[in-house]
Amino acid sequence: RELFEAVTGAWRRVAESSPAVVVFDDLHWADPASAELLQHLLELTEEVPILFFCASRPERQSAGWRVRQTAETDFPHHYTEIALAPLSGDDSDVLVSSLLTVSDLPAQLRRTIMEKTDGNPFFVEEVVRTLIDSGAVVRDESGEHWRAASNIKEISIPENVQSLITARFDALDEEVRSTLQVASVIGRAFYYRVLEMVSEETSALRRQLSTLQRVELIQEAARRPELEYMFRHELTREAAYSSILRRRCRQFHRRVGEAIEEMFSDRVEEQATRLAHHFDEGREFDKA
């Protein structure tokens, strides 16, 4: 109750001084306590100029779905829902042009991209990155335009996002790919120090992370209080995670749990949820 009152009071003061927008992304991943807090905060829309912007998959079994139900039921006069449909062919074409700055791609290659991606913007983005990484699309002599580097019929585009991401992993050096796999065990976001403690080879860890940032599989999330990275998309983390042998995966989970225990030894209770998850996955049931 004290936490709810403190957070509500803090956001009330912010919105009283000027209109405020609070963004909650990936609400379908919210834990029940956070979802309950957000449901409580919705009452502020009756008092102050504040907008809660929640992005979520339509997963009815998730705790985040209850936030949607509360907003729709208790605050229908404030609630607006925007359902995102697949991009149209024209919009997908605009996205491809935007990703490639100024593009002179052959019409046939553009049509192939549209047919394969079916209006999924993440899939469109990954296809374009794959074409660049594989050298199928290159800059022209001016450096301002992109063009197909080989016969269009020879360019192969995987049938789904998972296969596409896996193909990008396969193009990485073995050491870089291994670092990505270990990071995927830690979670969508991961501390550098935890990764360093878990990794089997640490001498080139920073270089490997730089490579993963350069190919836009991960990005730096924070520098303080800890250097932290995160996967650019959960699907990327899931694909890396699923590529690990189950036995090695359990070993990594145990080592991640032990690393978190050591790193946060002075406030280990704050990491209880993470520790329970990693030790459970590592089959250390007593510790979990």
Side-chain angles (χ1 to χ4, degrees), residues 200-240:
E200 296 170 336
E201 177 59 57
T202 60
S203 59
L205 188 57
R206 287 188 181 274
R207 178 178 57 78
Q208 292 162 3
L209 291 172
S210 294
T211 298
L212 292 170
Q213 289 183 89
R214 189 171 63 251
V215 297
E216 300 189 341
L217 290 171
I218 67 170
Q219 62 190 36
E220 188 177 294
R223 284 187 173 269
R224 295 181 179 179
E226 290 283 344
L227 178 57
E228 185 178 17
Y229 297 88
M230 78 180 296
F231 283 83
R232 288 180 62 85
H233 201 283
E234 175 62 17
L235 288 175
T236 305
R237 189 202 69 80
E238 289 174 359

Side-chain angles (χ1 to χ4, degrees), residues 112-124:
T112 301
I113 294 174
M114 305 311 152
E115 291 167 1
K116 294 276 189 178
T117 57
D118 199 27
N120 182 320
F122 176 69
F123 201 177
V124 171

